[in-house]
Amino acid sequence: MVEIIILAMVFLFVGLRLWSVLGRRTGHEQQPIAKPVEVQAPAAGISRTTTEALPQPASAEPAIDARATDGIRAIAAADNGFEAARFLQGAQSAYRMVLEAYWKGDVAELDRLADDGVRDAFREAIEQRRAAGHVLDNRLITIERAEIERAALVGQTASITVRFDADIAAVTRDAEGTAVAGSLTDAVQTHDVWTFSRNVRSDDPNWMLVETDEAA
């Protein structure tokens, strides 16, 4: 009888431990992404809920280049609410949202996410694309890696530069919908370096995209 009670208690303990590890959902779980683009590509009219970036788990150590360490420390000292891991998650979301806004020609969304210089460059490219009668049918398949390369605090202005290594499927179509360049069956590796900026004393917690470039 005593052995049965002990076994029952052990079973209950193991069951509770398994539930604590596997039974909770935080809302940040990711589904594995299939590499074949024709399977992964969503239908036209992508909604915001299906295009969230692929953040690292909150407990994951953020990827930070050694050159950015001092800058990150200075920003954290000036802004008690700053966390490098949370910033990197937000940067990945911004990367996806900016790219999709540009591909769709959504200038209003770009106004919200980027400063005047970056927005004007995107706007000019969008206008040239429309003048040529072209439409972009692009897909951000996955962000393979996001790393903080540089960080600095000048006065009250913080700036952080992030390198994004991503897979993108890109197709340019004409007004009739015929593909004139690119393919949705093959993803192309891209390497971008984007810089975000924010006044650490501002009540607005959002970072603005202030510069874009291709990685060297």
Side-chain angles (χ1 to χ4, degrees):
M1 185 65 180
V2 174
E3 291 179 352
I4 294 175
I5 294 175
I6 292 175
L7 288 174
M9 293 177 64
V10 170
F11 177 82
L12 178 61
F13 174 78
V14 172
L16 289 173
R17 292 293 294 172
L18 286 174
W19 178 86
S20 67
V21 175
L22 303 175
R24 299 178 180 177
R25 297 187 61 84
T26 65
H28 295 283
E29 289 81 5
Q30 316 174 186
Q31 296 299 321
I33 293 180
K35 274 294 183 182
V37 179
E38 62 271 20
V39 175
Q40 179 63 22
I46 307 172
S47 68
R48 174 68 57 80
T49 56
T50 63
T51 58
E52 291 301 319
L54 307 177
Q56 301 173 358
S59 60
E61 193 71 21
I64 303 176
D65 189 287
R67 297 170 297 175
T69 302
D70 290 343
I72 291 296
R73 288 174 178 167
I75 294 170
D79 181 0
N80 293 332
F82 175 79
E83 294 180 5
R86 184 183 301 172
F87 167 84
L88 208 49
Q89 290 180 356
Q92 291 179 75
S93 293
Y95 182 72
R96 180 180 291 272
M97 288 188 290
V98 168
L99 286 180
E100 292 180 345
Y102 167 66
W103 294 336
K104 293 184 292 185
D106 188 346
V107 176
E109 180 76 344
L110 292 173
D111 287 345
R112 188 177 68 84
L113 299 168
D115 77 344
D116 293 346
V118 174
R119 180 202 60 205
D120 291 346
F122 278 126
R123 186 194 297 267
E124 181 179 355
I126 290 171
E127 291 175 351
Q128 292 176 353
R129 188 172 74 217
R130 288 174 175 169
H134 289 163
V135 176
L136 296 184
D137 184 13
N138 294 2
R139 303 286 188 271
L140 175 56
I141 306 305
T142 185
I143 299 174
E144 296 285 355
R145 180 173 174 80
E147 179 182 24
I148 296 176
E149 285 197 336
R150 296 186 300 277
L153 179 67
V154 179
Q156 296 182 354
T157 301
S159 63
I160 300 180
T161 299
V162 181
R163 175 187 172 118
F164 298 97
D165 297 323
D167 292 337
I168 294 177
V171 174
T172 301
R173 301 185 185 277
D174 60 19
E176 285 71 38
T178 302
V180 297
S183 170
L184 280 181
T185 59
D186 296 302
V188 177
Q189 289 187 337
T190 61
H191 310 284
D192 294 314
V193 177
W194 287 15
T195 300
F196 301 87
S197 180
R198 175 180 176 270
N199 186 320
V200 294
R201 297 305 180 195
S202 172
D203 293 332
D204 185 353
N206 294 317
W207 292 70
M208 294 292 288
L209 176 62
V210 298
E211 187 178 350
T212 65
D213 200 359
E214 293 184 1

